[in-house]
Amino acid sequence: MTRADDTAPITTTGAQHDRQRNQRNTMKSTWMAAVAMVTATTLLTACGSGSGSGSGSAAAPGEKVTLTYANWSEDQTPAMEQIAAEFQKANPNITVKVQTLPWTEYWSTLQVGAAGGTAPDAFWMLADHFREYAKGGQLLDLSETVKAGGIDTAVYPKAVTDSYTYEGKLFALPKDFDTNGIWYNKALFDAAKVAYPDDTWGWQDVQDAAKKLTDKAKGVWGVAAPIDPQGGYYNTILQAGGSIINAEGTASGFASPESVAGLKFWTDLQAAGSSPTLQQLSDTEAVSMFENQKVAMYFSGAYWAFRFHKNADLKGKVDVAPLPQGVKRATVTSGIGNAGYAGSKHPEELKKFLAFLGGTKAAEIQAATGTVLPAYKGTQQPWLDAMPEFKLKVFIDAIEYSVPLPVAGNASEWQGLAAEYLAPAWDGKKPVQDAAKEYQAAVDEVLAKQ
């Protein structure tokens, strides 16, 4: 989840998502709401939006218009500013101001702004939050924009486009996409004399390698095994032949034998002592432990490539391999969507900007800077070329066996319950099948409310 966020996936650290997140937002919601109220007022009041549902009229010819574009990633902000500058060259009457909010504030701030008429004009959206905004009428319908502009949505991964479609209408254009792989530290593998992971690895190979790589005297673990849906247990559930949510979006499948097997892959790693404990992963997020070279393997998405690439301490030490096989290969896929606020005072200019964000130029800028894997077909090669030290084609090849991130019902709500129900199994205090059954019941209760 995606977590296309650039801080961490959602885990019991309280981070999915990005996706991610997700989630940890649930654990922080009380204090975040207060922060968001202040932040929404101070940061977003000048965003050029107003209440309503996109009923504003287009600016008069030559009239200056200012749009705001919100994101949660400092790493990606330079690329977003470059994209905005390119748009402004062709549209000199439209100024785009890029706003970057911390991940811990982004969603609460957006929620407050959307409800109060002060939301940014354009903003990043995640699939697990999308429906609550679409159902609430807070997103700009881009269906006619796509049709009038001759935008071929076939250039985007179908799974990502579908994630931003509600009741037959498209409310966001895919910005990027992600699949998952095994990020691994070659130096730690070399020190333990363990062969690097490759496309022949299965679950047992991971278990065996993680044990050999763990050296608690040095504070090093073979793998990070947090409660991470997008980078972790969703993938192993699917690899075991299980299901997360049924096709109708009415019931979950966490308690099936196959799904329990997918969850047990992670609890077994915890039980073997091959991973930091949940408490340790709460004190220091999994991605940070990987960057600090305290864990040798980290299962997660393409969105970490740029961050690892920029980390001088990891130079020459990190690479990525495909996820291991279970009964079959599988990975969830998702991506950030560029959405627009339905209450914008400048809906026509906003639609023009969103169409630009969904086009080739914006995708090429993202790819060339190495910022993220763009969703636009045919623009990914510069991303691969920007970070040749990694086998990044792993993420593109994974599209063949990818499954859309489940977003049925109020996804952010039922995903946010994962830590509460699954932590006892991760900590070895409750059988996995019991925790899975209780979590399934809780998820089904949320789905019944849709």
Side-chain angles (χ1 to χ4, degrees), residues 13 18 28 45 78 87 165 167 177 233 240 245 276 294 297 360 367 390 402 417 439 444:
T13 61
D18 137 93
K28 298 181 178 180
T45 52
F87 173 75
T165 301
E167 294 186 342
F177 77 96
Y233 63 84
I245 302 293
K294 296 300 183 181
M297 292 182 285
T360 55
F390 304 139
S402 64
L417 298 173
Y439 183 43
D444 288 351

Side-chain angles (χ1 to χ4, degrees), residues 243-264:
S243 68
I244 301 162
I245 302 293
N246 65 15
E248 295 74 30
T250 57
S252 63
F254 291 106
S256 73
E258 295 82 5
S259 295
V260 169
L263 294 170
K264 197 170 183 297

Side-chain angles (χ1 to χ4, degrees), residues 9 20 33 93 118 122 142-144 150 155 167 174 178 191 207 251 272 289 319 382 408 417:
Q20 168 177 347
N93 66 310
T118 59
L142 300 180
S143 303
E144 288 303 316
V155 299
E167 294 186 342
D178 54 81
Q207 304 278 359
M289 295 194 81
D319 208 343
L417 298 173

Side-chain angles (χ1 to χ4, degrees), residues 251-306:
S252 63
F254 291 106
S256 73
E258 295 82 5
S259 295
V260 169
L263 294 170
K264 197 170 183 297
F265 171 84
W266 298 97
T267 60
D268 284 350
L269 289 168
Q270 282 285 350
S274 298
S275 166
T277 65
L278 288 186
Q279 182 58 54
Q280 289 168 320
L281 289 167
S282 177
D283 295 338
T284 306
E285 292 173 338
V287 65
S288 296
M289 295 194 81
F290 181 75
E291 284 195 289
N292 294 336
Q293 303 185 67
K294 296 300 183 181
V295 295
M297 292 182 285
Y298 176 45
F299 288 46
S300 198
Y303 39 81
W304 295 119
F306 190 54

Side-chain angles (χ1 to χ4, degrees), residues 58-124:
E63 180 182 347
K64 298 293 185 180
V65 168
T66 297
L67 301 175
T68 48
Y69 179 33
N71 72 85
W72 60 72
S73 171
E74 290 185 2
D75 282 347
Q76 293 195 44
T77 295
M80 298 306 103
E81 291 176 338
Q82 187 177 339
I83 290 170
E86 285 294 322
F87 173 75
Q88 290 168 178
K89 287 180 183 178
N91 301 274
N93 66 310
I94 305 175
T95 298
V96 177
K97 293 185 177 180
V98 176
Q99 297 179 335
T100 302
L101 303 177
W103 170 259
T104 51
E105 298 172 11
Y106 184 88
W107 294 106
S108 290
T109 302
L110 182 60
Q111 184 178 34
V112 170
T118 59
D121 295 285
F123 45 86
W124 287 2

